[in-house]
Amino acid sequence: MDKINKVMKFEDLPKDALKALEKQYPDGWKAYIRKITKPNGEFFHCISVDTKKVSYMVKLDVKIDIDSEMVKMVDDFIDLNAEKEAEHDSKDEDGDDDEDDKKKENED
């Protein structure tokens, strides 16, 4: 007999699925959260849990994407600072670009 597949919100899970969830993830399920992208570009986060008769895809209310936006902002900030440092490093002690010094050497 094949299992029935259902997509359901965590809050709506029946008791047998909640018990199966505890058995399947005794140390917690945070590491097992997956991001599912729908064809229209929207997404949701979920975990899987199986009972004897039903295989559930459990939709979760997760704020991961807010964190990923923050990570992107920090990455952009780091990249911007790295560019500024590289520009600063390319200048020598007299404040001129190293390229200017090379041109002057070639002229002499």
Side-chain angles (χ1 to χ4, degrees):
M1 181 173 137
D2 289 331
K3 287 187 177 187
I4 299 169
N5 294 314
K6 289 188 177 183
V7 178
M8 189 171 279
K9 289 183 181 180
F10 182 83
E11 299 83 22
D12 297 334
L13 283 178
K15 288 182 183 181
D16 64 330
L18 290 172
K19 288 179 184 178
L21 190 67
E22 287 179 33
K23 280 185 180 180
Q24 194 169 332
Y25 305 103
D27 297 325
W29 39 263
K30 187 176 180 179
Y32 299 95
I33 297 173
R34 296 180 298 161
K35 180 178 178 180
I36 305 295
T37 305
K38 299 181 205 178
N40 65 1
E42 293 178 7
F43 61 88
F44 63 93
H45 294 90
C46 68
I47 55 172
S48 299
V49 65
D50 293 313
T51 63
K52 289 181 181 179
K53 297 180 181 179
V54 182
S55 181
Y56 292 96
M57 182 178 289
V58 184
K59 291 172 118 180
L60 304 169
D61 230 0
V62 179
K63 302 293 183 199
I64 290 175
D65 287 31
I66 292 172
D67 294 337
S68 65
E69 286 179 23
M70 182 60 107
V71 168
K72 183 180 178 338
M73 287 173 48
V74 170
D75 287 346
D76 291 346
F77 178 76
I78 290 170
D79 292 343
L80 181 63
N81 281 340
E83 289 173 14
K84 286 181 180 177
E85 285 181 25
E87 183 179 307
H88 178 72
D89 290 345
S90 71
K91 296 189 183 239
D92 59 13
E93 292 171 3
D94 63 359
D96 293 334
D97 287 340
D98 290 336
E99 293 296 320
D100 293 339
D101 291 341
K102 289 178 186 175
K103 288 179 186 174
K104 287 180 187 175
E105 288 174 10
N106 289 336
E107 289 175 2
D108 292 334

